[in-house]
Amino acid sequence: MAWKTMARVADMPTGTVKACRIENIPVALYNLDGEFFATHDICTHAHACLSDGYFEDGKIECPLHQGVFDVRTGKAVSGPVDVDLQTFAVRVEGDEVLVDVE
Ligand code: FES
């Protein structure tokens, strides 16, 4: 376990997604109705940052070809994507959102 602080809860309202980086790993952090999730930030289809995409109802739509992933599981759910995203464990401690990148 290698927990790293990625954001403050107060800086991430419900429905927001934030691009983070832990060493060389790009991570997208999501606030879904007060629950936080984290996935790899690069689409599995081509090189696009999912944190620039459209986040709604627990799903992120890739800004490049509109592939859709479930941010809770990383599962590729529609569009040209057929490879799931890597996900990371998230926990909240006080006002800090921590992600485990191992
Ligand atoms: Fe994401 Fe093509 S790069 S769907």
Side-chain angles (χ1 to χ4, degrees):
M1 295 284 195
W3 295 97
K4 305 275 187 186
T5 299
M6 290 289 101
R8 294 181 54 224
V9 172
D11 294 336
M12 285 200 62
T14 295
T16 58
V17 53
K18 177 182 179 185
C20 309
R21 185 169 280 275
I22 303 175
E23 295 164 9
N24 290 326
I25 304 171
V27 174
L29 183 63
Y30 311 86
N31 182 339
L32 175 60
D33 299 329
E35 194 171 356
F36 288 86
F37 298 90
T39 69
H40 204 287
D41 195 21
I42 304 302
C43 186
T44 57
H45 180 240
H47 196 87
C49 290
L50 295 170
S51 55
D52 292 332
Y54 181 64
F55 178 44
E56 186 177 63
D57 294 335
K59 299 184 179 64
I60 188 77
E61 182 183 88
C62 178
L64 196 54
H65 307 113
Q66 290 71 53
V68 177
F69 299 91
D70 188 318
V71 306
R72 293 162 286 211
T73 60
K75 187 156 187 56
V77 293
S78 71
V81 295
D82 56 7
V83 176
D84 297 345
L85 282 173
Q86 182 180 5
T87 59
F88 304 96
V90 180
R91 75 171 195 239
V92 174
E93 281 185 12
D95 188 43
E96 295 187 338
V97 185
L98 299 97
V99 176
D100 181 7
V101 293
E102 287 191 358

